[in-house]
Amino acid sequence: MTQFALSALAATRALRSLFEPTPLQRNEFLSKRYGADIWLKREDLTPVRSYKLRGAFTAMRKQIEADPEAGHFVCASAGNHAQGMAFACRHFGVKGTIFMPVTTPQQKIDKTRTFGGDKVEIVLTGDYFDQTLAASKTYCSEAGAHFLAPFDDEDVIEGQASVAVEILDQLGSAPDLVVIPVGGGGLASGVTGYLRATAPETGFRFVEPQGGASLTAAIDAGGPVTITKVNSFVDGAAVARIGDLPFAALDWVTPEQILRAPEDRVCVTMIQMLNVEGIVLEPAGALSIDVLPELGADIRGKTVVCIVSGGNFDFERLPEVRERAQRFSGMKKYFILRLPQRPGALREFLQMLGPEDDVARFEYLKKSARNFGSVLIGIETKRPEAFAELFQKLDAGGFSYRDITEDETLAEFLI
């Protein structure tokens, strides 16, 4: 057994003073759907509803063991890492200063403060995370505190490896495949580091959000690079640059082992798991489940563990998630219709709608001295094929229209 594996075992034992192992649950719904033995490692059920507590606790514990006088920790985070550090600060009774962007939702600020109690101070600064990070590091240096990195830290990686220790203990044997979400790479490097040493027969697939594929970019470039444009929707995994230490531990990964999940498709998975299984997932927490259809025949008859990385979901985002899911599934579209400005034209259009079609958006203002007016229309339906039928009727009726559902610029401005 490697030294890293031994350290991961020690980290796991130490974590038991904080919380019991998160459940490893066989999911009957997914197992039947994909003809495999699908297990979910429920990291959404830690005390802070994500795996981030493992790394924060481990790094803080080891720092205090090495320097008993260490009593002040600093981090920059707008999400799960902040909550994990806050919880650990309260556990060890040390001071924590957590920097968050000014734009951080109040719900996340309140949760972080709840977990840390009077042991943490929250500093809101910067409109963008890079500004927040720079301010936190400057403060940390001036205060002589210890900076707690979210993923680019050997002790944090060691703590995240405890997920793999628990998987082997709970399953009782090595799984055929483990599906791991990737952001900064701390979880992926920790889990694979332990399993490659103790269960070499286990295979891996890595999942990144399509708009934040930092591992893919690093492998293509031969080292970590910064992505210039990141889609932040999958906020728990949308990282512009994978950590140097995680990538050094993942440099054996091939492009074929990496899958990229479209953000809107992730919403379909989130809605499905909520409606069918009653499991509340944040976007990053749904990544490993979202790619199961792509694995297809490769997982049939095999034992597959999907790491569900977190469940910190603000239900104020539910309308957006539902909207994205409907659009990806083809059951909601937006289009601009050129409507003749004459009596009865609107009635003609409405009569073209099918029995399962519903008008979700309609904006029209009659213009004077014009023959036609533009109408913004949103239509929901229960069958994606209904839109082909509607568009066929519009064509036959001589109506001019433009589907803007996939036009990102117009959709963001109008919808």
Side-chain angles (χ1 to χ4, degrees), residues 51-52 150-152 156-158 160-161 182-191 242-243 246 250:
Y51 72 92
K52 287 288 190 177
F151 48 80
D152 207 0
V156 169
I157 293 171
E158 185 180 292
Q160 316 306 24
V182 181
L187 176 66
S189 55
V191 168
I242 196 168
L250 294 169

Side-chain angles (χ1 to χ4, degrees), residues 91-256:
H91 175 82
F92 287 112
V94 297
K95 178 182 177 182
T97 304
I98 298 172
F99 284 72
M100 291 181 155
V102 175
T103 53
T104 303
Q106 189 63 41
Q107 180 249 11
K108 291 186 177 181
I109 297 171
D110 292 342
K111 284 174 65 178
T112 302
R113 187 173 286 116
T114 297
F115 290 133
D118 61 1
K119 294 299 179 183
V120 301
E121 175 189 5
I122 296 174
V123 179
L124 300 179
T125 184
D127 292 326
Y128 302 99
F129 182 73
D130 286 348
Q131 298 169 338
T132 307
L133 179 62
S136 70
K137 288 188 173 180
T138 299
Y139 170 83
C140 186
S141 177
E142 293 174 350
H146 180 76
F147 188 78
L148 198 61
F151 48 80
D152 207 0
D153 182 284
E154 291 180 354
D155 295 334
V156 169
I157 293 171
E158 185 180 292
Q160 316 306 24
S162 63
V163 173
V165 176
E166 292 177 10
I167 288 173
L168 282 192
D169 288 345
Q170 293 166 316
L171 197 60
S173 61
D176 295 307
L177 185 71
V178 177
V179 187
I180 312 171
V182 181
L187 176 66
S189 55
V191 168
T192 58
Y194 182 77
L195 290 178
R196 291 181 82 204
T198 58
E201 64 271 39
T202 296
F204 303 99
R205 292 294 183 275
F206 305 89
V207 192
E208 301 184 283
Q210 192 171 67
S214 59
L215 176 58
T216 298
I219 288 177
D220 289 345
V225 293
T226 301
I227 302 172
T228 56
K229 184 179 180 181
V230 175
N231 185 327
S232 63
F233 177 76
V234 186
D235 48 358
V239 175
R241 181 187 177 94
I242 196 168
D244 292 332
L245 292 174
F247 181 73
L250 294 169
D251 61 357
W252 51 271
V253 175
T254 65
E256 292 74 25

Side-chain angles (χ1 to χ4, degrees), residues 227-289:
I227 302 172
T228 56
K229 184 179 180 181
V230 175
N231 185 327
S232 63
F233 177 76
V234 186
D235 48 358
V239 175
R241 181 187 177 94
I242 196 168
D244 292 332
L245 292 174
F247 181 73
L250 294 169
D251 61 357
W252 51 271
V253 175
T254 65
E256 292 74 25
Q257 291 176 290
I258 307 173
L259 301 167
R260 292 186 291 277
E263 283 75 9
D264 288 355
R265 193 183 71 189
V266 170
C267 293
V268 177
T269 301
M270 292 172 66
I271 294 291
Q272 182 182 75
M273 294 306 293
L274 177 61
N275 289 341
V276 177
E277 297 294 277
I279 298 176
V280 178
L281 299 177
E282 62 184 86
L287 287 175
S288 61
I289 299 172

